Amino acid sequence: MNILVTGANGQLGNEMQLVARSSTDRYLFTDVCDGYEKLDITDLDAVRQYVKQHNIDATVNCAAWTNVDGAEDPSRFGLVEKLNATAPENLAIAMKE
């Protein structure tokens, strides 16, 4: 099974890397920071292409805006919405297709 893990550099993503070590499944770890394969999960076309190209069977979304105080800043509303609503929707759409 090919499993896409987004937000690989975060706390949950790092825990998923530990899980992957004892699994026979193939985990593909992505993030927007250096050291990981890049995938912009806010871009539906990019997600569709990645899922198709890598024959993804399951997705574990560990990417999110988790700074609650920072999320209340009106200048960040758009970014927070993209990361916490649009991105998971994109992953769901691509997997359903």
Side-chain angles (χ1 to χ4, degrees), residues 8-10 14 17 29-39:
N9 192 50
N14 277 286
Q17 291 179 59
F29 292 94
T30 66
D31 206 303
V32 295
C33 66
D34 291 338
Y36 295 93
E37 186 171 2
K38 304 281 191 262
L39 176 60

Side-chain angles (χ1 to χ4, degrees), residues 4-7 30 39-48 50-51 56-64 82-97:
L4 167 61
V5 180
T6 65
T30 66
L39 176 60
D40 180 359
I41 60 175
T42 67
D43 178 345
L44 179 56
D45 290 333
V47 174
R48 283 177 167 146
Y50 192 94
V51 166
I56 300 298
D57 299 301
T59 300
V60 180
N61 182 26
C62 300
K82 283 178 86 170
L83 291 174
N84 291 355
T86 304
E89 180 181 33
N90 290 346
L91 291 165
I93 290 169
M95 290 303 296
K96 185 177 180 181
E97 292 175 352

Side-chain angles (χ1 to χ4, degrees), residues 22-35:
S22 62
S23 175
T24 58
D25 293 318
R26 179 176 173 232
Y27 285 78
L28 294 97
F29 292 94
T30 66
D31 206 303
V32 295
C33 66
D34 291 338

Side-chain angles (χ1 to χ4, degrees), residues 65 68-81:
W65 182 282
V68 176
D69 292 336
E72 293 176 355
D73 181 339
S75 69
R76 293 189 178 125
F77 288 168
L79 175 60
V80 173
E81 170 106 13

